[in-house]
């Protein structure tokens, strides 16, 4: 028997099709405002923001093991700093992105303290930081406590232009952030991130820079969520601290990620879409909507702990946007792309036998 | 005598380790040459694993210094020591459970050995192959049994391209056939000039590889030298019979 030299496979035929499909979908979304009503454009903008939130929380918790219940701090800061920058005379659209960058910069020193905390301490610590930041922002005269303020400088644009511009900015931000995230998670840093999630000590023992890698992820998530907060401000114009620094934002992120499938790149996106649909259909039902969300989250964690995408991936071996590595043995089996999952299937069978 | 004859690659001096009031390592001095294979034995709780953790940088000693390749590494993290070539395995395997066996090993090749893409792939595949794990490269580590987890510990440490490998009970619970496979693997590492420190309770496996044996008891090195002489040392025999030296 001649030795077959194994090959490392990063994508499959299906994933290559998926990549093209993603590009086509983004292109279609870019021209969609021509066909959409004003209300629909606003809803789609919200969807893009949800996707950013879900993807960022998933990267942090699902890939990096950094479970935070205080991510609303970056959402609130993103909005608040955008108001501040616009008040200082910066073009309001530019202010949205400048704000995201400042949120990223601020998260750097914050990470020095927070990343010393482990697991539950980190999760709660982040919530405390969010509550403190909320109080501090309330002290700003410009914000006038809980009365809030608004991004008035956006009002110089007419409503139609403003709406479509924000839609495009949200779409572009979402696409760029997903691309950055995908690149990061698919690279060797992504492998380090997952290793840290699974066992920090072991990761350090094989040469992974644990703290630096976590910091990178933490800052990227802060930046992304900061942008999301600023975009949300742009769509709603008004800024009331308690709306933005509300823990509900993190609850939504967790919901989307758990339902979609934690730790899979596709899962966060799917979860955001599911959340968006539920909100669209049932959002008007007040308290029952929230009860329903809670019930769904509980049902998922009980019966589908891997979420929708995690379950699909496991059952059908389907990987649309894979970040992992597959070892294949060309020549051993017909070199098609169904090889990898079926290989795994047989080894699992062998184990059961 | 053994270590100082050749150029020392590792030199630990005056190592103490305390956990609160508990003294686990008590003035350990340990020096070894660049391409030696040293076995460590000793009763449960002697402090063997703790010594390995202090050497690898998993935690700092309460007192004493560790030098590797001629430089003081006492203040360096486990990450930095690994990148210098000082790599350990874990007695209780610590796999990256959500990742495949290949991905586990790939992390070490790309971060520990600092290899890029194809080179990292090759190193990772080579390590898996050497440990007989190529066939289960795509299995998630959480689905592996204890035996394969131990193999994965070894494969992962190897992929970091160590110059000195610290092994902690990778041979427990093996059948005779598996044990001789393992000895074969370690002998291959010796051919590649990798230094070995190997903690193992199963002495007859150890003796097939180790040229020098150390026995620890109650945080101290109580014997050090030619393996058979160490095993015949009355202090060693007493330690194993449970009384401990006193
Ligand atoms: N992190 C820790 N905190 C407190 N005590 C510890 C810690 N690690 C080890 N010990 C204690 O130190 C002593 C030595 O432990 P160690 O694991 O080094 O022994 P060992 O020689 O490897 O034993 P074994 O053969 O059972 O693996 C034990 O009494 C153990 O309970
Ligand atoms: Mg031990």
């Amino acid at each position: 028997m001649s030795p077959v030299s194994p090959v490392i496979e990063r994508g499959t035929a299906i994933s290559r099709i998926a990549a093209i499909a993603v590009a086509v979908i983004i292109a279609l979304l870019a021209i969609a405002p021509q066909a959409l009503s004003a209300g629909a454009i606003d809803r789609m903008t919200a969807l893009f923001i949800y996707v950013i939130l879900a993807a960022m929380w998933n990267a942090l918790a699902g890939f990096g093991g950094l479970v935070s219940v205080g991510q609303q701090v970056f959402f609130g800061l993103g909005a608040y700093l955008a108001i501040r920058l616009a008040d200082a005379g910066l073009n309001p659209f530019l202010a949205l992105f400048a704000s995201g960058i400042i949120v990223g910069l601020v998260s750097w020193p914050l990470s020095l303290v927070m990343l010393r905390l482990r697991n539950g301490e980190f999760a709660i610590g982040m919530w405390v930081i969010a509550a403190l930041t909320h109080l501090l922002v309330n002290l700003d005269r410009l914000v006038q406590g809980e009365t809030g303020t608004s991004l008035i400088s956006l009002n110089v644009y007419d409503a139609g232009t403003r709406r479509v511009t924000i839609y495009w900015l949200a779409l572009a931000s979402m696409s760029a952030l997903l691309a950055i995230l995908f690149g990061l998670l698919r690279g060797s840093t992504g492998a380090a991130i997952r290793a840290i999630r699974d066992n920090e000590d072991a990761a350090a023992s094989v040469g992974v820079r644990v703290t630096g890698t976590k910091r990178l992820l933490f800052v990227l998530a802060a930046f992304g969520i900061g942008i999301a907060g600023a975009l949300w401000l742009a769509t709603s114009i008004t800024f009331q601290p308690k709306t933005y620094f509300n823990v509900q934002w993190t609850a939504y992120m967790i919901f989307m990620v758990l339902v979609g499938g934690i730790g899979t790149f596709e899962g966060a996106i799917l979860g955001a879409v599911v959340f968006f649909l539920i909100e669209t259909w049932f959002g008007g039902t007040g308290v029952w909507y929230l009860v329903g969300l809670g019930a769904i989250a509980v049902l998922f964690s009980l019966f589908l702990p891997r979420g929708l995408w995690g379950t699909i991936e496991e059952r059908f071996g389907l990987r649309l946007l894979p970040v992992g590595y597959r070892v294949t043995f060309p020549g051993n089996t017909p070199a098609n792309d169904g090889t990898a999952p079926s290989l795994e299937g047989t080894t699992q069978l062998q184990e059961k036998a | 005598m053994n270590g100082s004859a050749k150029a020392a690659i590792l030199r630990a001096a005056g190592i103490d380790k305390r956990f609160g009031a508990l003294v686990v390592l008590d003035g350990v001095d340990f020096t070894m040459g660049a391409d030696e294979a040293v076995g460590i034995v000793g009763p449960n709780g002697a402090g063997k694993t703790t010594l390995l953790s202090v050497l690898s940088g998993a935690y700092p000693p309460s007192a004493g210094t560790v030098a590797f390749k001629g430089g003081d590494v006492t203040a360096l993290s486990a990450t930095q020591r690994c990148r210098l070539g000082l790599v350990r395995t874990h007695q209780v395997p610590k796999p990256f459970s959500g990742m495949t066996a290949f991905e586990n090993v790939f992390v070490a090749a790309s971060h520990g050995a600092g290899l890029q893409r194809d080179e990292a792939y090759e190193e990772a595949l080579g390590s898996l192959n050497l440990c007989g794990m190529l066939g289960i490269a795509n299995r998630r580590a959480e689905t592996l049994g204890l035996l394969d987890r131990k193999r994965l510990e070894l494969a992962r440490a190897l992929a970091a391209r160590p110059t000195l490998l610290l092994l902690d009970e990778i041979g427990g619970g093996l059948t005779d056939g598996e044990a001789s496979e393992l000895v074969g693997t370690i002998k291959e590492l010796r051919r590649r000039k990798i230094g070995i420190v190997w903690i193992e309770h199963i002495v007859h496996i150890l003796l097939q590889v180790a040229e020098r044996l150390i026995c620890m008891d109650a945080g101290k090195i109580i014997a050090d030298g030619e393996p058979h002489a160490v095993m015949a040392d009355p202090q060693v025999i007493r330690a194993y019979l449970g009384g401990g030296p006193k």
Side-chain angles (χ1 to χ4, degrees), chain B residues 18-34:
Chain B
R18 291 183 290 273
F19 294 106
L22 185 69
V23 179
V24 177
L25 293 178
D26 186 4
V28 173
D29 294 305
F30 171 57
T31 300
M32 72 177 281

Side-chain angles (χ1 to χ4, degrees), chain A residues 50 53 57 69-73 75 127 130 232 241-256 275 279 289-290 293:
Chain A
Y50 293 158
L53 293 178
W57 198 84
V69 292
Q71 291 308 94
Q72 67 274 15
V73 64
F75 193 78
W127 181 78
W232 194 266
K242 71 162 177 273
T243 330
Y244 286 80
F245 286 100
N246 196 321
V247 70
Q248 79 174 34
W249 290 108
T250 300
Y252 290 165
M253 294 177 216
I254 297 174
F255 177 89
M256 294 186 277
F275 174 73
E279 189 191 50
Y289 163 64
L290 293 175
L293 282 185

Side-chain angles (χ1 to χ4, degrees), chain A residues 188 198 207-209 325 327 351, chain B residues 79 83 98 103 111 138 143:
Chain A
S188 69
D198 288 345
V208 172
R209 286 202 182 91
Y325 301 75
V327 181
E351 206 204 15
Chain B
T79 304
R83 290 176 176 208
E103 288 168 344
H111 296 273
N138 292 325
T143 68

Side-chain angles (χ1 to χ4, degrees), chain A residues 4 6-8 10 187-192 194-210 213 306 313-314 323-329 340 343-344 347-348 351, chain B residues 78-80 82-83 86-88 90 93-100 102-104 106-108 110-113 121 125 128 134-140 142-145 153 156-157 160:
Chain A
V4 281
V7 169
I8 305 305
R10 301 304 312 276
S188 69
T189 307
R194 289 189 288 148
I196 292 169
R197 169 198 66 194
D198 288 345
N199 197 311
E200 215 172 291
D201 295 337
S205 81
V206 291
V208 172
R209 286 202 182 91
V210 173
T213 307
R306 301 181 69 96
E313 189 182 67
E314 199 163 53
V323 297
Y325 301 75
R326 291 276 136 181
V327 181
T328 56
F329 301 88
L343 186 79
E344 190 177 49
T347 45
Q348 271 167 359
E351 206 204 15
Chain B
T79 304
Q80 289 166 313
C82 168
R83 290 176 176 208
L86 181 58
V87 189
R88 62 108 39 112
H90 301 90
K94 293 185 173 179
F96 305 132
S97 22
M99 304 173 76
T100 67
F102 172 82
E103 288 168 344
N104 268 262
F106 172 74
V107 169
S110 60
H111 296 273
Y121 295 161
L125 290 169
L128 285 177
L134 213 45
I136 50 174
N138 292 325
R139 285 263 301 274
R140 257 207 311 272
E142 65 194 351
T143 68
L144 299 178
E153 277 289 329
R156 198 172 59 181

Side-chain angles (χ1 to χ4, degrees), chain A residues 77-118:
Chain A
L77 271 183
Y80 166 69
L81 291 172
I83 292 255
R84 262 279 160 216
L85 290 168
D87 185 64
L90 193 66
N91 172 293
F93 290 120
L94 271 183
L96 304 181
F97 294 95
S99 163
I101 290 169
I102 299 177
V103 171
L105 292 176
V106 168
S107 73
W108 185 274
L110 182 65
S111 75
L112 296 178
V113 182
M114 299 315 292
L115 292 179
R116 285 171 189 271
L117 306 177
R118 293 244 178 150

Side-chain angles (χ1 to χ4, degrees), chain B residues 49 91 168-169:
Chain B
T49 297
Q91 178 176 355
D168 197 352
E169 298 197 24

Side-chain angles (χ1 to χ4, degrees), chain A residues 28 31 51 76 91 95 97 121 131 187 206 211 218 227 268 289:
Chain A
L28 287 176
I31 55 170
V51 170
N91 172 293
F97 294 95
E121 291 175 7
V206 291
T211 311
F218 185 84
I227 297 263
Y289 163 64

